[in-house]
Amino acid sequence: MTARDRFGGYAFVLPFVSAYSFLLILPFIMGVWISFHKADLFGAREWIGPDNYVRLFDDPIFYQAMGTTFMLALMIVPALTIITMLLALALNRATRSAAIFRGLFFSSSVLSVTIVTLIWRFVLTPDAGLIAKVLAAVGLEPIPFLSHPDLTVPAIAITTIWWGLGLPMMLFLAGLQQIPQDMYEAAALDRASRWTTFRHITLPSLRRTTVVVVMLQTAAQLQIFGQAQLLTSGGPSGSSRPIVLYIYEIAFGRWELGYAVAAAEVLFVLVLLLTLGQYWFANRNEEPGR
Amino acid sequence: MTRCKLLLATLAALILGSCGQIDDRPTLVIQRFFGECGAVYGKTVDVAKAETECGILTTMLNKFVADNPDINVKINVVAWPGYPQLAAQIAAGDPPDLVTMHQSVISDYQVRGLLSPMNDLLAEAKIDTRSLTPAGQRGAIKNGHFYALPWDTIGRLWHINTSLMAKAGLMSGGKPVLPNSPAELLEHARKFKAATGKPYLIQAQVSAPDYLVANLYTYLLAQDAVIFSDSRHIRLNTPEARAIVELYRTLNAEKLTTTSQDFPGATASFVNGEGGIFPTGTWMIGPYDEASKAKGSRLGGYAVVPFPRLWGKSAAFVDGHSWVVPADNRTPAERRAIARFLAFSAQYNGDWVRTGHLPAFRAVLDAPSFTAQPHRKDIAAMAATGQQLPDFVQRQSAIQGLIGEELEAAVTGIKPVDVALADAERRVNELLSGI
Amino acid sequence: MTAATGRNRLPWPALVGVLIGAAIMVAPLLWTLLLSLKSNTELMRDSASALSAPYTLDNYRDIVTGSDLPRWLLNSLIVSLGTTGGVLLLCSLAGYGFARLEFPFRRTLFVFVLLGLAIPEQAVILPRHQLFAMLGWHNSYPGLMLPGLAAPFGVFFMTQYFRAIPKDLDEAAMLDGASRLSIFWKVLLPLSFPAQATLGVFTFLGSWNDYWWPLISATTSDKYTLTVGLASAQMNYAQTSGLGFLMAQAVFASIPILIVYIIFQKQIVGAMAGAATR
């Protein structure tokens, strides 16, 4: 192999890798560096070693935020996975109406977070919201979705599920289309029931897609931010404040850049471990070479 | 192939976009919040006819641009409250020349050296600082220097639905009967609810830490309680503070107030006559006055007073808007431009206070055009008595957020009052010790 | 697209489920649209008035005539198109390199790129802000576009897609003496159009809807993108006195995106299928 052959590949890969290293990896490393300092937004830097991390582990608000984040992820990921899988199953047909419904369920994903939260604020708010008006029409009291400590987290979860149906549904649809038709034909010949077909053909074939969906969604929902900030401001009293909102408040509210970045690094490690863990768990029984 | 063309077109647009014209005039970047009302006000310069904070400010700025063609004025509108953006701009080394800032936030930036002292600029603008109201001066002075040109004093008031109060028997001689102690307040509230079936208070408690903190500060200041013993310590878990928070918690618990409203909800409620009293700020005087006079209005009568004296003496915890000048290297021409703008701005204080805020200039406070406006006489005293936190207190804005969060837990019953106050104290002391 | 699984009719519980789901999807959107077509004063009295006439286009008229909206739209367009073009170029090149070519440390480099998927935005946005401040790159189109180029998902996606294309085409071209670059440019790139469309749409979407980076990087309003501009135009208390206008802004800002989505719908589905093949 000539040197050109051997190293030519770099020419293709390097433009991206350079941009990526400069725009993502370098700031990330800078961030890690800053997290060992007492730093503010305006340039003050003082080396304090691991003190930010020590402080973080003693911080009850940090734990509250972590708890809220995990609760949100637990409310969102399973529900989203199941709903989108069912939708994909129901809409995986070549009819015109199925195409229209697919488009409908995908349409919410194209909106930005500021718009989605604006829309859902005026669905959920007990004063002028759609739900409140409907409840009033049947004589019921409005429900304080955005201010009751037990309701704010579900409210954010519902908004996020509504917003995020598109991508997982598409992934499941693609996964379903990979399943060879012969398997279904064989099952039909054997007069297998719908449920049996589903359990023994469809579900196992969707395994890989399901794993991808769960992994992507977990990583995404652990980093949830906009909905919490704009719907409830993390309230009341921090009961719906996920970790990224806490990081934002430390950075822009208290100007403690070092502490904020330390919390972000802890989040990164968590997301990484969880994602790798999910990947390992899903693939531990896989035959090699697959 | 279309992709290539698209890419080339984008590059071309980029290049063209970054070429500016050569401009010798000094540049003045003015940054403000209050939103955008270009649809209504466009480029008009008639300040006397404008309404609302956005309208008056927009027309004022339009007039300045029109009157000063030798200054290159750039106006930035930022989303409320604009502070994350300002922090990012300062961090990027590209701050605006003038920016709207609440007086309670000035200390945060001033203490880090991010604002220019303005005594010289004010002198150049021929503004005599003694002509400012006491509250205005207090708001703008930090560590003995002026760091802002105050525009107004924002007080918190009780906006009262007098027809409902009458129904509850709480009017006397055409004026609302106000409580003189916490026990009396509860008594009136229960009486009101029994007579009208509606909550005595309408409060915007959701996502409103500033409101909760203002209540606490007001009544602590009324009792001359020491809130900040020094620049590193706050004292909140005190009998006075507990008593204040207990009162609000009781109001919530007995449903003598609305409990799950944010500001839009609360204001709509008040206008629709769904409660007796809405404690909110000076900026709502105009809208409510109009609403009460409109045909078919459900707000059957309107009065407004400063917070009633419940403990100690009469006190008002106030804030205000102001122009500040972020620290930066500027040419003498640019500094002159800033001074010119400050001088210009001071002339329109009388127009600004049509919004309902109290003026920052004594002359405007005494002018008949001000006192003739509805309800202004009832609240004018706040311009003299209104207090803010001592100027050695740093990070007032950040502190407000922390305390507000804990107060939210206390008044809604999530945490016991003393635990919430102790937590607030701990968190604020931690913040202050880290500075 | 392969047909359904031999069943022609949906069992009725599934049909009911889909219809309920569709209603839940549509209701908030319809509500928003209705709110945007009412006058602000009517809404202030009671938002339920959105459910009945009269309706008006005043809010939309106000958006178009007031404010810097055209400027913001243009900025969003420039930034989103620039980012999308850049991502498609860089990620296609890299995807081809990782999928088809051998070079030392190829696997390591690929894992290095994938690591980026786990890095949360918040961990890098502030240091990146400081970095750009040191270089003086803020408040400019390149400053707004560049962060979007670090797209590990794009490389992952394109690599998977290229891997799925049979190698015979490459080999045939190589026999004809084509260079790697021309194989890429003339053979594989055209074949990957569905993937380009999908990645392009997602990148455009992400860039169009981006809020925090433009907020802290664009320091003067002539560089605001649509998201930042719309946020700045809201008066405090806009939710009280300007609800209709607020909702009209939301609808207005979504229209370009919805158009893009409708045009590219088919490609997205096709590419998803292609990329899922391992």
Side-chain angles (χ1 to χ4, degrees):
Chain A
M1 238 180 153
T2 67
R4 185 149 181 228
D5 283 337
R6 218 164 128 68
F7 296 105
Y10 282 126
F12 285 89
V13 170
L14 243 30
F16 177 80
V17 173
S18 334
Y20 168 81
S21 304
F22 181 70
L23 294 166
L24 194 60
I25 301 296
L26 179 60
F28 179 68
I29 295 175
M30 279 170 70
V32 176
W33 176 247
I34 293 174
S35 73
F36 291 113
H37 289 74
K38 183 168 134 170
D40 77 359
L41 282 182
F42 309 113
R45 298 271 187 275
E46 189 194 316
W47 175 267
I48 53 169
D51 283 1
N52 278 328
Y53 292 95
V54 172
R55 197 175 139 205
L56 209 54
F57 289 117
D58 272 335
D59 186 351
I61 312 287
F62 178 68
Y63 288 111
Q64 182 198 39
M66 276 298 183
T68 308
T69 313
F70 276 103
M71 207 156 58
L72 275 169
L74 273 169
M75 278 196 199
I76 297 174
V77 178
L80 198 56
T81 308
I82 294 174
I83 294 176
T84 48
M85 186 194 288
L86 293 175
L87 279 176
L89 283 167
L91 298 177
N92 182 32
R93 48 201 69 230
T95 65
R96 182 94 182 283
S97 50
I100 293 177
F101 275 110
R102 279 196 304 267
L104 181 67
F105 285 106
F106 193 86
S107 62
S108 60
S109 310
V110 306
L111 303 171
S112 76
V113 68
T114 34
I115 291 178
V116 170
T117 46
L118 196 55
I119 293 174
W120 274 84
R121 166 174 287 280
F122 285 98
V123 170
L124 293 169
T125 183
D127 302 293
L130 180 58
I131 294 182
K133 296 297 172 193
V134 167
L135 287 173
V138 295
L140 292 169
E141 284 292 303
I143 303 177
F145 283 109
L146 301 178
S147 53
H148 192 286
D150 294 333
L151 294 176
T152 45
V153 171
I156 295 175
I158 294 173
T159 307
T160 309
I161 293 174
W162 180 90
W163 187 29
L165 290 175
L167 180 61
M169 184 180 73
M170 284 299 174
L171 287 174
F172 276 122
L173 279 169
L176 282 173
Q177 285 161 25
Q178 301 296 312
I179 304 176
Q181 274 296 80
D182 1 348
M183 291 177 86
Y184 286 113
E185 280 160 20
L189 281 174
D190 285 347
R191 291 166 168 259
S193 74
R194 274 209 171 101
W195 174 243
T196 320
T197 317
F198 177 70
R199 255 193 80 206
H200 293 284
I201 301 181
T202 316
L203 213 47
S205 311
L206 279 181
R207 200 164 150 272
R208 185 167 239 137
T209 315
T210 312
V211 168
V212 170
V213 167
V214 169
M215 278 173 59
L216 285 177
Q217 284 302 317
T218 312
Q221 301 313 336
L222 285 175
Q223 297 177 54
I224 201 171
F225 171 58
Q227 301 92 292
Q229 191 208 26
L230 297 169
L231 274 176
T232 59
S233 311
S237 191
S239 56
S240 64
R241 177 172 42 207
I243 188 67
V244 176
L245 182 56
Y246 186 43
I247 292 173
Y248 170 80
E249 283 173 12
I250 301 174
F252 281 108
R254 287 160 41 179
W255 294 348
E256 293 177 32
L257 184 60
Y259 194 54
V261 182
E265 305 303 345
V266 173
L267 179 65
F268 161 67
V269 169
L270 216 70
V271 172
L272 191 64
L273 287 176
L274 220 66
T275 315
L276 289 177
Q278 285 171 333
Y279 187 74
W280 172 84
F281 182 78
N283 288 331
R284 70 194 186 294
N285 295 326
E286 287 273 298
E287 314 100 57
R290 180 102 187 258
Chain B
M1 255 305 109
T2 29
R3 250 196 319 281
C4 287
K5 287 207 186 115
L6 209 53
L7 214 49
L8 284 171
T10 315
L11 283 171
L14 258 177
I15 295 171
L16 287 171
S18 20
C19 283
Q21 335 95 289
I22 315 289
D23 197 329
D24 278 337
R25 304 177 294 167
T27 307
L28 195 63
V29 179
I30 303 178
Q31 185 156 300
R32 64 176 196 74
F33 36 67
F34 297 121
E36 178 71 67
C37 39
V40 182
Y41 293 98
K43 293 267 173 257
T44 58
V45 296
D46 193 347
V47 187
K49 285 223 187 75
E51 295 295 325
T52 76
E53 288 166 329
C54 177
I56 298 176
L57 187 56
T58 302
T59 45
M60 233 175 82
L61 291 170
N62 287 345
K63 187 147 194 335
F64 182 73
V65 174
D67 289 353
N68 293 276
D70 55 331
I71 306 180
N72 181 13
V73 183
K74 289 193 174 159
I75 301 181
N76 266 1
V77 180
V78 288
W80 181 274
Y83 298 128
Q85 210 160 0
L86 180 63
Q89 287 168 324
I90 296 176
D94 189 14
D97 295 310
L98 282 152
V99 71
T100 50
M101 187 176 278
H102 291 90
Q103 289 161 17
S104 59
V105 173
I106 296 177
S107 70
D108 291 41
Y109 288 84
Q110 175 266 329
V111 116
R112 286 290 280 105
L114 303 173
L115 297 180
S116 291
M118 284 177 67
N119 292 65
D120 296 343
L121 285 168
L122 290 173
E124 201 179 319
K126 304 220 181 359
I127 297 175
D128 182 358
T129 56
R130 287 164 309 177
S131 66
L132 295 167
T133 61
Q137 288 186 37
R138 279 196 288 267
I141 296 181
K142 307 286 166 195
N143 280 341
H145 284 100
F146 271 87
Y147 279 90
L149 171 65
W151 306 355
D152 57 32
T153 296
I154 308 169
R156 287 182 190 268
L157 308 165
W158 272 25
H159 299 260
I160 305 178
N161 182 337
T162 49
S163 62
L164 283 180
M165 290 290 270
K167 199 161 157 204
L170 288 169
M171 292 291 284
S172 156
K175 287 205 177 303
V177 174
L178 296 173
N180 282 310
S181 73
E184 223 170 85
L185 181 109
L186 287 173
E187 201 192 294
H188 287 193
R190 291 173 187 134
K191 188 170 163 192
F192 183 93
K193 184 153 181 202
T196 63
K198 298 190 179 168
Y200 179 64
L201 285 183
I202 294 178
Q203 294 187 86
Q205 297 185 68
V206 174
S207 298
D210 52 333
Y211 168 68
L212 299 167
V213 175
N215 286 342
L216 182 64
Y217 281 172
T218 302
Y219 290 114
L220 283 176
L221 290 171
Q223 299 174 70
D224 285 323
V226 173
I227 311 178
F228 288 91
S229 48
D230 57 57
S231 67
R232 299 250 181 237
H233 293 96
I234 192 175
R235 288 175 42 203
L236 282 177
N237 197 4
T238 59
E240 293 91 0
R242 283 198 288 271
I244 298 168
V245 180
E246 282 291 350
L247 173 65
Y248 283 96
R249 187 194 175 104
T250 312
L251 286 168
N252 268 336
E254 288 185 32
K255 298 266 191 279
L256 298 166
T257 164
T258 57
T259 52
S260 58
Q261 292 178 323
D262 55 6
F263 184 81
T267 216
S269 255
F270 183 68
V271 167
N272 287 332
E274 288 166 21
I277 302 169
F278 182 18
T280 180
T282 41
W283 63 90
M284 292 313 290
I285 295 181
Y288 289 156
D289 192 61
E290 261 184 62
S292 68
K293 297 191 179 121
K295 223 160 53 104
S297 157
R298 283 176 259 181
L299 179 59
Y302 173 66
V304 60
V305 293
F307 278 16
R309 189 204 69 80
L310 295 176
W311 288 272
K313 58 184 206 282
S314 257
F317 177 68
V318 298
D319 199 343
H321 300 109
S322 62
W323 288 115
V324 298
V325 177
D328 199 6
N329 294 325
R330 297 192 174 90
T331 67
E334 284 167 350
R335 284 184 68 89
R336 270 197 300 276
I338 295 178
R340 273 160 69 180
F341 180 78
L342 292 172
F344 176 87
S345 173
Q347 295 168 24
Y348 288 94
N349 212 220
D351 289 287
W352 178 252
V353 297
R354 283 205 303 277
T355 55
H357 300 306
L358 291 166
F361 286 94
R362 266 192 253 255
V364 177
L365 196 59
D366 298 332
S369 56
F370 172 70
T371 49
Q373 289 180 64
H375 308 288
R376 298 309 196 269
K377 282 213 212 87
D378 302 326
I379 61 168
M382 271 199 295
T385 62
Q387 295 182 57
Q388 301 198 22
L389 292 178
D391 66 343
F392 62 75
V393 179
Q394 307 176 20
R395 307 310 319 278
Q396 291 177 27
S397 171
I399 289 174
Q400 184 175 272
L402 292 179
I403 301 179
E405 203 178 284
E406 296 298 336
L407 288 180
E408 221 177 348
V411 302
T412 53
I414 298 177
K415 279 189 193 177
V417 172
D418 49 346
V419 171
L421 286 174
D423 282 345
E425 206 178 270
R426 177 182 54 81
R427 288 173 74 184
V428 173
N429 285 337
E430 199 186 287
L431 174 77
L432 288 174
S433 69
I435 296 180
Chain C
M1 193 174 90
T2 54
T5 54
R7 293 181 278 260
N8 286 328
R9 309 211 44 192
L10 213 49
W12 71 262
L15 190 63
V16 167
V18 169
L19 286 174
I20 293 180
I24 298 178
M25 284 309 289
V26 168
L29 297 171
L30 197 60
W31 176 241
T32 304
L33 187 65
L34 288 175
L35 285 171
S36 74
L37 293 170
K38 296 288 300 181
S39 81
N40 291 324
T41 33
E42 271 197 70
L43 289 177
M44 211 163 106
R45 259 188 303 112
D46 186 359
S47 69
S49 65
L51 296 171
S52 56
Y55 293 107
T56 167
L57 283 175
D58 282 355
N59 294 320
Y60 291 97
R61 184 204 60 203
D62 287 347
I63 292 181
V64 179
T65 56
S67 82
D68 266 333
L69 195 89
R71 177 95 228 175
W72 301 332
L73 263 175
L74 182 66
N75 289 339
S76 275
L77 213 58
I78 293 175
V79 172
S80 298
L81 285 175
T83 307
T84 306
V87 165
L88 288 178
L89 187 64
L90 290 178
C91 293
S92 302
L93 283 170
Y96 175 68
F98 282 122
R100 284 290 202 253
L101 304 178
E102 292 289 333
F103 47 89
F105 300 117
R106 187 189 66 165
R107 281 203 110 161
T108 323
L109 216 49
F110 191 63
V111 171
F112 175 63
V113 167
L114 287 189
L115 269 182
L117 286 168
I119 299 181
E121 179 79 0
Q122 293 295 322
V124 292
I125 197 169
L126 289 168
R128 187 192 287 148
H129 186 266
Q130 307 241 308
L131 186 61
F132 276 41
M134 290 195 283
L135 295 165
W137 284 1
H138 282 301
N139 208 33
S140 65
Y141 289 124
L144 291 170
M145 287 196 259
L146 283 173
L149 293 183
F153 180 74
V155 170
F156 173 69
F157 189 71
M158 293 309 294
T159 309
Q160 295 300 89
Y161 199 82
F162 281 129
R163 275 203 188 131
I165 299 180
K167 281 202 170 142
D168 345 341
L169 293 156
D170 290 43
E171 280 152 20
M174 270 198 282
L175 286 174
D176 287 343
S179 72
R180 298 225 184 284
L181 189 59
S182 49
I183 295 178
F184 170 71
W185 196 254
K186 297 205 175 103
V187 179
L188 287 177
L189 202 55
L191 277 177
S192 67
F193 184 65
Q196 303 272 334
T198 308
L199 185 58
V201 168
F202 279 116
T203 309
F204 185 85
L205 200 64
S207 179
W208 186 269
N209 287 336
D210 196 9
Y211 181 61
W212 290 111
W213 180 254
L215 182 77
I216 59 176
S217 184
T219 50
T220 54
S221 31
D222 59 339
K223 285 288 184 302
Y224 284 176
T225 56
L226 191 61
T227 41
V228 179
L230 285 177
S232 76
Q234 290 174 27
M235 294 189 239
N236 38 319
Y237 318 125
Q239 291 179 14
T240 318
S241 51
L243 184 55
F245 185 63
L246 202 59
M247 290 313 189
Q249 285 176 340
V251 173
F252 198 86
S254 311
I255 291 177
I257 280 293
L258 285 168
I259 294 177
V260 167
Y261 163 67
I262 291 172
I263 297 176
F264 287 97
Q265 228 192 85
K266 285 217 183 74
Q267 281 83 354
I268 297 177
V269 181
M272 284 293 190
T277 316
R278 296 265 187 111

